[in-house]
Structure formats: C-alpha cells, structure tokens
Amino acid sequence: MMLIEEATVPDAALPVDQFKAHLRLGTGFGEDSLQDEVLKGFLRAAISAIEARTGKALISRSFTMRLHAIRDRMSQAFPVAPVSAISRLVLVDGQGNETEIPADRYRLEADNHQPRLRPTGALLPAVPSGGALRVEFVAGFAVDWGGLPADLGQAVLLLAAHYYEYRSETALGDGCMPFGVTSLIQRYRHMRLGLGVAR
C-alpha cells in the first residue's frame, strides 16, 4: 500500500499571526513579515510531526491510496483519518489501463480513528494481477485553521515553538516531543488492542 499526499497544506491555512503572538514576537515594525517563511516552515514541520504521531490529517486535502492487493474485500481501512469523501475509485490493470468504478458500488464508513472503504454489494472489486486499486479521497479535520479542534491547534503551536526555540540544537533524541504536546494529542492516537493489551 502506498499513500500519496496530493496537495500540501496551503499557506493561507497556516496560523502565522497566532504563532507570532505565541512566540511573543515584536509587532509594528517594517520587518514584521521578514520571518514569515521561516515560521511557516516550523508550522509545517509541527503539523507533519503531529499527523505522523496520530495518523490524523489536520487540514483537509487530497490523498491517493494505491493498493496492489486487498486482504479483505469486504473492508479496506484508510491509512489516515478522518476521511470526509471518496473522490474516485480506479482499477489499474497490469498494462496501465484504467477503469473507474461507479460510485454506487462503494461507500465510506466514517470513523474518527479508522475510516473504511466498504462495498455497497458483497465485495470490493478484485485487484487485477500486476495491477492496482487507486483510491482518491479527501481527509482532514477542517478546511482552515479556525475549524481545527482547539487542542490540536494548541499542540501545533507548542511544537512549532519548540522547534523554533531549539532550531540550533542537534543533541535532542529522535522523535523528541514536549510533554504538553503529547498530552494534547494523546486522545487522537489510535489505540490498537491485541491479546488483551492496549498499546
């Protein structure tokens, strides 16, 4: 399975002004926007890290999931949540020929942690030998920063500020994330249960 992010988070969705206020940067100077590109970079890095840790897309955008096999043709989980819409389902054969699957043959089972692609009939289409099933979909909590859950928005600002403050630090361990950030995003992490143990 391959997940492709078809669109990045647009600049207009990044809370640059809120981030400046969070950092207590000076305002009213002619160079107010001088650091904007740097701040956007830290915000994008924080969004990316939180999305990777939670498996959730924060700002809505288009993705493509490419499957070379389906284990259970009654259900296919999406690798990112929450999914708001399935745009297209396309079968690609071994020669690269494409056949679009009619929208009435599949449906989205919405879920905040593990949304699923399900057939409206008995089974999802079989993947051709040497081919793939391409699922184009839209995922994300909100189309803009204002629609994002407040705790996730605060987590992004905290983590972006952490990156900003320690931008020259090279001794931090891999995956280092401040406690306040991990606390805020904890409820968004998908809990897997196996052999009676949550992990």
Side-chain angles (χ1 to χ4, degrees), residues 116-184:
R116 292 184 169 275
L117 170 67
R118 293 208 183 261
T120 51
L123 299 170
L124 290 169
V127 178
S129 177
L133 177 65
R134 192 174 74 234
V135 186
E136 299 172 12
F137 63 98
V138 177
F141 281 102
V143 295
D144 58 29
W145 192 258
L148 201 61
D151 48 1
L152 286 176
Q154 185 64 26
V156 169
L157 293 177
L158 285 173
L159 187 56
H162 177 76
Y163 289 159
Y164 181 85
E165 294 296 332
Y166 294 95
R167 56 194 177 276
S168 300
E169 180 62 66
T170 58
L172 295 174
D174 290 341
C176 178
M177 194 169 276
F179 174 74
V181 176
T182 57
S183 297
L184 287 167

Side-chain angles (χ1 to χ4, degrees), residues 29 33-34 41-42 48-50 54 56 88 109 115 119 144-146 167 179 181 193-194:
F29 303 99
S33 62
L34 195 62
F42 287 122
S48 180
I50 289 171
T54 61
K56 307 293 186 292
R88 292 177 74 211
E109 183 180 277
D144 58 29
W145 192 258
R167 56 194 177 276
F179 174 74
V181 176
L193 299 174

Side-chain angles (χ1 to χ4, degrees), residues 12-55:
L14 295 174
V16 176
D17 290 337
Q18 291 101 310
F19 189 32
K20 287 179 180 178
H22 182 83
L23 293 173
R24 297 180 181 175
L25 296 181
T27 58
F29 303 99
E31 297 84 14
D32 277 1
S33 62
L34 195 62
Q35 285 199 76
D36 282 6
E37 292 308 310
V38 173
L39 298 179
K40 287 175 187 176
F42 287 122
L43 285 167
R44 287 185 186 282
I47 289 170
S48 180
I50 289 171
E51 288 184 340
R53 186 69 66 98
T54 61

